[in-house]
Amino acid sequence: MIIIAALVLRTALTELKHPGSARRQWAFATNPKAMAAGATVAAATVLIAGASLGWAAAAWALLIGALTAFLTGRDTPAAASPVVPNMEQPVSERRVACVMVAIGAPVTVAGVAMYFLRGPGFPLLVIGLALLITGLVMAASARR
């Protein structure tokens, strides 16, 4: 809830400085590809972590799904036309996907190893799988 509140507050402050920025920032909510990617990752998170975490898995799945939809939906027409010139170089969706897969794969392997060695590997496994699945979904959507 704190993360969601911080994101909403950030949107409100940015909207005060640059009118129209909130519409561009939340344009992912109208993108079917972004919403499908977010729903897929959220469902995978619930299926993977639901048995051990219970209702807490639903909260994490909602957050992970929303962030996936946000990252995937950055290529919408409303999000792609900034009113204020930005000096930062844009990062492509494919590059973000590659980084998420590159981080998610070893974290997943480490989580599996810790799980079988009777360590606290399950949370690490869930985080790794969430990153890996999100990266794979984003890479698949970037190819189309």
Side-chain angles (χ1 to χ4, degrees):
M1 296 310 272
I2 293 171
I3 294 171
I4 293 170
L7 290 174
V8 170
L9 184 61
R10 177 179 164 236
T11 301
L13 292 174
T14 306
E15 179 68 23
L16 288 174
K17 290 180 185 177
H18 308 289
S21 64
R23 181 177 43 245
R24 287 187 308 276
Q25 192 171 14
W26 290 90
F28 71 92
T30 60
N31 185 344
K33 180 177 75 169
M35 296 310 289
T40 302
V41 171
T45 303
V46 168
L47 289 174
I48 293 167
S52 66
L53 297 178
W55 287 103
W60 283 108
L62 179 65
L63 180 63
I64 292 168
L67 291 176
T68 301
F70 176 75
L71 288 173
T72 306
R74 291 188 313 165
D75 61 349
T76 59
S81 60
V83 175
V84 180
N86 192 353
M87 301 306 286
E88 297 177 5
Q89 293 293 329
V91 178
S92 70
E93 182 178 341
R94 184 171 169 85
R95 171 129 345 182
V96 172
C98 290
V99 169
M100 292 180 85
V101 169
I103 294 170
V107 170
T108 301
V109 170
V112 168
M114 289 176 66
Y115 182 76
F116 286 117
L117 295 174
R118 300 287 182 212
F122 192 74
L124 194 62
L125 175 66
V126 170
I127 292 169
L129 282 174
L131 283 170
L132 184 63
I133 292 169
T134 303
L136 292 173
V137 168
M138 287 178 65
S141 69
R143 290 182 187 227
R144 293 182 185 216

